[in-house]
Structure formats: structure tokens, C-alpha cells
Amino acid sequence: MPTVKLRRDPGRPRAGLSIRHRLKGRAVPYDPPNRFETVHTEIDPADLAGEPPRTEFLNDATREIIATNRSPDIPFDASVNPYRGCEHGCVYCYARPTHEYLGFSSGLDFERKILVKHRAPELLREALSASSWRPRLIGMSGVTDPYQPVERRLGLTRGCLEVLRDFRNPVAIVTKNHLVTRDADVLGDLSAHNCANVTVSVTTLKNELQRVMEPRTSVPARRLDAIWSLSSAGIPVGVFVAPVIPGLNDEEIPAILEAAAEAGAAYASFLLLRLPLGVADHFKNWLEAHFPDRRAKVLHRIREVRGGRLNDSGFHTRFRGKGQYAKQIERLFRATARKLGLDGKGPRLSTKAFRRHGGTQGDLFDS
């Protein structure tokens, strides 16, 4: 594909970008400059009229698979991400800027240059076998969705779940993909020891909105079916209304909760849209391309719940927002969830069944 290489001053603020083309199956059809690089490779606009660039899968030779965090508003301090970058291509994804640390862009690169941790299950087994490991909840999808499309072929998330089952270490999964139902057998084994729960993210019930906002995710009906399938299998499952975008999908909160409750969800949570770093540029341009008539209203509402800015990185408020409009959204969510019996926090997972040796003979001496 023809490209144009441009040099720029790395200290210069990035200019606003505008979407002039749309690519099938892509929410962001361009690559903005990487803020850490001095050379930028730009896709030739003449090529954007054809098929989008193919997705590349690159080997991630990491030696550690468990990432930790100290965020006071995240319910787990350990997570596993078999992939970096995400084929789902959600325009609003807060993880997009993490790709810049890898030398890529937060735009099209994030959706099409996926780093794959092929040794993830092996590394996880080593980590849980270490005498230093303190059994605790592991989150899957801390950064990118563990059930993005390539997982169907590679099965790395399933491999990690099988390791967690062997050790009976608790795991909490958040996903937008119906593929999670493939692993109901492993999740069922874990949940039998109170070691697993799944939360399915439902952003909208409108196919036309999902198609342009989250282009490679499961359609809304399939996500509801995932809730039904997991619930029917006895696996604790809830719904995550996220992100709530003021002025765009906030009016859908009651309908989403009602549909999820009917499908068998046992609990619900929500999160307001976050637009860190360059994600705000992607989102503003996306609005211009797909909802020009609502762009001003949506951006005004976002600033209203973010203290006059498009983003608030403060702990706790970054997930809930502030101001009167944010309170209205929360009251609507709480009232509807209470009415539908979804106002619980979900199961409190346990480490009591943890097996230090992962089910090997050494376990006999630990029981």
C-alpha cells in the first residue's frame, strides 16, 4: 500500500484530524501520529476507497503474563491479557493509547496490529505455581477483550481458563463477544467452586449504532444470547452497560437492563464514557462522520459530566462523572436496576478452593 512518510516535531501538539473516508469494519479509518515517534507513516487517502488494510498478528514475547495495578476504583489488582490491541475496533476504547507505547498508532493500528502472547497459558501456569503467588481474583479484559475474533482460532483465553480451573483461582471476565459461551464448560467447573463470573457488555440494542461504533463485536442480540446461555449453564453472569454516552445511548439504559434481566442477568453495572488522550480526537471525528447532527449535543453533554472537559482521569469520578446530568444518569440506572432485581453487586468470588499445585499429586499433601 502506498504511504507517505512525514517528519514532525514530537513536542508539537497533534492537530485535529478529520474523517473523510470510511472503511468497512473499521471505526477509525486512519492512523494519527504516535506522540512518542518523530516519523509518521500515513496511509495514502487514495487507498482508502478500497478494502481496509489486513489485520496483522504479531508475536508478543513477553515473559510475564500477570499485570498488576493499584487503582482504588478497580475491583481486582491482577489481570491477564492474552492480546494487545483489539480487533473489535470500538471507537471509544480507552485502551487505544496503550498501542503507542509499542510504536504503533492509537487509530487503525490498534485494530489491525494485534500482539499475541502465544505462551500465555504456559506463563500463567508458571506464575500460579510460584511459591510467591498469593491467590486472588484475576480479571480478564483489563485492557483488551479476551474474546476478540482471533481467539476463536488461537484459543489462548481458553487455555488460560483451563489453567485457572486447575488451580481453582478465581477469575472475572468482561466481554462483548458471544464466543465466551464456547468456554461454558470450563467456566462451569470454576463457578462450582465460586471461582468465576462473567459480565457481558451491552452498549446499545440498536444494530445500526453497534455496527459503526463497535464494528467487529457481537451484535446486541448475540450478547443477550450469551447472557442467557451462561445463566442457563449455572454460571454467574451480569450485564455491563458501558460506556454510557451522554446524548447518544443514555436513553437506552432502561431497555438494555430490561432485555438483560429477561435473558437471565443477575446483576448490572454501568460506566460513563472515558476519552483519555487521543481517544477524544477519534470520538469527535467519528461523531462528525456518523452523527453530525448530534455531535454538538453529545460533546456538550460529555463536558457537562466531566467538569467542562472531555475527560476526567480522577479515581472514582472517571467512571461515574459529576454534576447534575451525571446524577440523573445514575438515578435512572439505579432505579431501573432496583425494579428489575439487578441492583446486587454480583457474586463475591472465593480463593478457598485454590490448589497450589494445580491439581497435581502434590495437592494431596496440601489438603
Side-chain angles (χ1 to χ4, degrees), residues 233-244:
I235 299 164
V237 58
V239 62
F240 192 27
V241 186
V244 173

Side-chain angles (χ1 to χ4, degrees), residues 154-170:
L154 298 182
L156 296 178
T157 295
R158 181 178 176 87
C160 289
L161 288 178
E162 290 171 341
V163 172
L164 292 167
R165 176 182 60 186
D166 291 345
F167 285 82
R168 294 177 183 168
N169 192 98

Side-chain angles (χ1 to χ4, degrees), residues 14 35-36 94 96-98 100-101 106 275-282 311:
R14 82 173 60 179
R35 58 199 157 120
F36 302 119
Y94 68 88
R96 283 182 175 275
T98 64
E100 293 186 298
Y101 293 99
S106 61
L275 294 174
L277 300 173
V279 180
D281 286 335
H282 298 315
N311 188 53

Side-chain angles (χ1 to χ4, degrees), residues 128-150:
L128 299 188
S129 297
S131 58
S132 59
W133 172 251
R134 175 174 58 85
R136 60 191 185 275
L137 176 65
I138 287 179
M140 293 196 75
S141 74
V143 179
T144 55
D145 200 308
Y147 285 101
Q148 57 182 284
V150 72

